[in-house]
Amino acid sequence: MTSAADTDPSPTDIRTDYLAQMRQKRMLNMILLLIFATLMVAGFYTADQRNAGGFWNGWRHILDFPADVVGEAYERAHLLPGYFVKYLPSLLETINIAGAATLIGAMLALVASMLATRGLAPAGWLIAPVRRLLDILRAVPEIVIALVLIFLLGGGPVPAMIAIALHTVGALGKLFSEVNENASLKPVEGLASTGGSWMQQMMLGVVPQVAPNYLSYALLRFEINIRASAILGFVGAGGIGYDLRNTMSWGQGKFDEAAAIFLLLFAAIVIVDQLSSTFRNRLTHGKAYKDKGAVL
């Protein structure tokens, strides 16, 4: 009769198997690394050829444009305060686009997230279609939607707001849905037993539980939408991005104004990030969270 001790692997066998598995893992990692490096080199070579070999000839001049901008801004530093005042309305328009898009997108995302959450949707068959719709809205970049809307509606802030709002619905809808899954269903069941409608169950039974997380994600999305709004200005969607494109396209003589716009946009994003981080930490932690003496 064979004892259990005779069938158990010895420490030497265990060590040998472990080393063999590690060698196999290292070999696979090396193969994957070589494949990745080969694809990178091949892709870069193809892109450089399609670009008429411009990268290798032009990389030495990569800092020429920033140097021209900084040099012209330094020479006309006394004009920068006036440029700040001149382009402040455009910055406010950019922030307004982001704010309106975030507000509209968050409200639509709230409803969509309820319809996409198991246990909260009024009908089970709604969950899959709503989730696929949110996937589509997240997958399509804002700039693509904005280009289509600009073709249909013309240039201006409205196409940018609609494009950012649609993408916000997809992004926040997914996040809100994940938050909803952690909500307790007992208040919902209590409201249902008293004859409350589906909307009453959601607004009174679910939203109070998840409101801090909703607001935190909405503030985070607002930061992202400010950047997106500025980028969409490059395709004619209004805001400070449109002014930045015009000054950069003009070339020499307008670089000081481009520098002023850069500084104005950078300052606005930093301020919004800091304020949003403070509010989000107060919502989620109950107080401003400090890490090594710096407010996040």
Side-chain angles (χ1 to χ4, degrees):
M1 184 175 179
T2 304
S3 63
D6 296 334
T7 59
D8 289 340
S10 63
T12 302
D13 294 337
I14 295 175
R15 184 175 182 275
T16 302
D17 291 341
Y18 173 77
L19 293 176
Q21 292 176 7
M22 290 299 297
R23 284 193 297 269
Q24 184 179 11
K25 184 178 180 180
R26 291 194 187 98
M27 181 62 67
L28 291 174
N29 290 339
M30 183 62 66
I31 293 173
L32 291 175
L33 181 61
L34 290 175
I35 293 174
F36 176 77
T38 302
L39 291 175
M40 285 288 293
V41 172
F44 187 84
Y45 176 79
T46 302
D48 186 61
Q49 291 300 313
R50 292 184 177 181
N51 195 36
F55 177 80
W56 295 112
N57 296 328
W59 73 271
R60 299 177 184 84
H61 308 286
I62 194 171
L63 295 179
D64 289 353
F65 177 73
D68 291 339
V69 173
V70 173
E72 190 168 319
Y74 181 78
E75 293 175 359
R76 303 180 182 179
H78 60 285
L79 299 176
L80 291 181
Y83 293 148
F84 293 152
V85 175
K86 176 182 178 181
Y87 292 109
L88 182 60
S90 297
L91 176 63
L92 295 178
E93 182 181 15
T94 296
I95 296 175
N96 286 336
I97 293 172
T102 304
L103 181 61
I104 296 172
M107 290 190 296
L108 295 176
L110 187 150
V111 178
S113 69
M114 300 295 182
L115 299 175
T117 304
R118 292 186 179 89
L120 299 182
W125 60 269
L126 285 172
I127 297 176
V130 173
R131 288 187 175 183
R132 298 296 79 77
L133 176 61
L134 295 177
D135 291 341
I136 294 173
L137 292 177
R138 283 199 311 276
V140 181
E142 298 102 323
I143 193 168
V144 175
I145 303 175
L147 287 172
V148 175
L149 292 174
I150 289 173
F151 177 77
L152 297 175
L153 304 176
V158 174
M161 184 195 67
I162 297 175
I164 297 173
L166 290 176
H167 197 273
T168 299
V169 173
L172 289 183
K174 172 67 173 178
L175 296 174
F176 288 177
S177 178
E178 294 178 352
V179 172
N180 294 341
E181 292 177 353
N182 296 323
S184 173
L185 296 180
K186 292 182 179 179
V188 177
E189 295 169 354
L191 289 167
S193 65
T194 60
S197 65
W198 178 80
M199 186 60 67
Q200 290 173 331
Q201 295 172 33
M202 297 301 102
M203 293 298 102
L204 300 177
V206 177
V207 172
Q209 301 181 59
V210 297
N213 297 93
Y214 277 6
L215 292 174
S216 176
Y217 283 132
L219 288 172
L220 179 61
R221 189 67 200 182
F222 176 59
E223 301 174 21
I224 298 172
N225 287 346
I226 291 178
R227 301 180 183 93
S229 177
I231 293 172
L232 292 184
F234 275 79
V235 296
I240 200 168
Y242 182 74
D243 293 328
L244 180 59
R245 186 194 69 172
N246 290 338
T247 55
M248 292 177 64
S249 300
W250 186 275
Q252 292 285 349
K254 288 283 188 177
F255 284 161
D256 54 336
E257 296 188 33
I261 294 174
F262 275 123
L263 293 174
L264 198 60
L265 185 59
F266 176 76
I269 290 175
V270 169
I271 292 172
V272 171
D273 281 352
Q274 292 299 316
L275 292 176
S276 177
S277 297
T278 301
F279 287 137
R280 283 189 284 111
N281 287 321
R282 287 186 181 277
L283 287 169
T284 55
H285 300 286
K287 60 180 180 179
Y289 180 74
K290 295 185 178 180
D291 183 14
K292 297 181 180 180
V295 178
L296 298 179

